[in-house]
Amino acid sequence: MRRIQSALRYTEGGRYRFTLDADLIVDLRLHLRGFHVLQDRGRTFAVLDDDQLTIRKGFAFDGCSPAFRIAGRWFGVPTPPSAVAAAATHDCLRGYLRLPCLCYSIGDTDDVFHSILEEQGCKLGDLYHAAVAGWPGRLYYRLTALGPSSARCRCHCCTSPSGLPLLGRQIKLHA
């Protein structure tokens, strides 16, 4: 069974390098259990239902990192079409990595990234994986993950019966 379960449609350009034009459904195969609605600043960006991740239409991401924009032009690692789905999934998973209810690791996100690159036939897949899984990718993640996060989950273990977030609660749902 393929990891990517839906057609990939995206737009290139804008504030972020890429924006999804349709939901992207990914079979993670991380043995996760539970239903999680992943939000940032009140907007739902993804839904994780057991091991199926649905990244919602409108999710914006920078492609393969590092990438940055100067005077309206993008510079950094090129993102070929065969790497776009992997980059979207990786950015989404990394963005919610610090939520206490989600039990996956940085290594898990890198492994999913690599398997999607292989599935999509990305010729530079091994090189891209080495970059995110090695020290450059880990250092980049640590630098960009500093400071408070606005990421939230609306699952049953992260919200009170009134629907308000339970902040600072460390819950592990899975072994």
Side-chain angles (χ1 to χ4, degrees):
M1 178 194 268
R2 297 176 60 85
R3 283 190 187 260
I4 302 299
Q5 300 293 311
S6 63
L8 176 65
R9 295 194 327 235
Y10 63 92
T11 303
E12 195 167 345
R15 181 171 176 233
Y16 291 92
R17 201 172 190 180
F18 302 100
T19 303
L20 292 180
D21 293 336
D23 290 356
L24 177 63
I25 301 170
V26 183
D27 179 13
L28 296 177
R29 299 185 199 142
L30 294 176
H31 308 292
L32 300 175
R33 296 289 172 254
F35 184 78
H36 306 273
V37 178
L38 307 174
Q39 298 180 329
D40 195 349
R41 295 177 184 92
R43 184 168 173 211
T44 299
F45 284 101
V47 175
L48 182 58
D49 188 359
D50 289 337
D51 247 359
Q52 182 172 296
L53 176 68
T54 302
I55 306 172
R56 303 290 298 272
K57 174 183 176 181
F59 180 75
F61 56 104
D62 291 335
C64 295
S65 298
F68 49 92
R69 196 167 80 164
I70 298 175
R73 293 194 61 210
W74 283 98
F75 296 92
V77 176
T79 305
S82 60
V84 173
T89 304
H90 193 257
D91 284 5
C92 183
L93 289 173
R94 283 273 180 110
Y96 295 103
L97 187 62
R98 294 191 288 170
L99 294 176
C101 64
L102 299 177
C103 297
Y104 59 84
S105 67
I106 290 175
D108 291 334
T109 66
D110 298 342
D111 291 345
V112 169
F113 176 70
H114 189 237
S115 66
I116 294 172
L117 288 170
E118 286 180 336
E119 178 182 291
Q120 299 292 309
C122 182
K123 289 181 173 50
L124 298 175
D126 290 338
L127 180 63
Y128 285 174
H129 177 253
V132 299
W135 69 267
R138 299 292 166 97
L139 176 63
Y140 181 77
Y141 173 73
R142 297 229 187 282
L143 292 175
T144 58
L146 295 174
S149 173
S150 55
R152 298 284 179 259
C153 178
R154 304 264 317 164
C155 69
H156 68 279
C157 65
C158 292
T159 54
S160 68
S162 65
L164 298 173
L166 297 173
L167 302 177
R169 194 166 159 201
Q170 298 294 315
I171 298 174
K172 292 292 181 188
L173 292 178
H174 323 294

